[in-house]
Amino acid sequence: MNTYRANLFELQGYDDPADDESKKELYRLIQNMCAEFKEHEGTIICRELLGLKKGEDTAVPAVRTEEYYRSRPCIGACRTAAEIVEKEIL
């Protein structure tokens, strides 16, 4: 989500560091979009989106097969994020 926030800043950000009102508005927008994403996907944490428990990380990558990619929620999560941005920003 950090990349998501950085790109959002470019679209909706402010250019005056002293502009507290614009900063608050941007933070509110980010928080609302993260909350909506979490409502749809259950979490904003990648490991949790993938169904992994804390500590399940491994140095051995999974074999990349068609089934592997079909089982990944990434496309759906990206679609959800894009729909939220489209609704809120564009």
Side-chain angles (χ1 to χ4, degrees):
M1 294 300 283
N2 288 335
T3 302
Y4 180 63
R5 285 185 217 141
N7 291 335
L8 180 61
F9 180 80
E10 291 175 11
L11 290 172
Q12 292 290 118
Y14 51 92
D15 57 8
D16 180 1
D19 186 355
D20 289 337
E21 287 307 310
S22 292
K23 186 175 185 178
K24 286 177 191 176
E25 182 61 24
L26 179 62
Y27 281 24
R28 183 200 61 74
L29 178 63
I30 291 169
Q31 290 169 345
N32 288 347
M33 289 194 303
C34 286
E36 185 173 347
F37 183 89
K38 187 174 181 178
E39 182 180 310
H40 286 273
E41 299 295 327
T43 184
I44 62 170
I45 300 170
C46 184
R47 174 180 25 83
E48 293 172 2
L49 287 167
L50 294 172
L52 301 173
K53 303 277 188 242
K54 191 170 184 174
E56 283 189 34
D57 297 334
T58 177
V60 180
V63 177
R64 302 314 199 244
T65 63
E66 286 185 38
E67 179 55 35
Y68 168 85
Y69 288 109
R70 271 196 299 274
S71 70
R72 306 296 273 191
C74 305
I75 292 173
C78 289
R79 182 177 295 113
T80 298
E83 289 169 353
I84 292 168
V85 169
E86 180 178 46
K87 182 178 78 174
E88 297 292 331
I89 303 294
L90 305 177

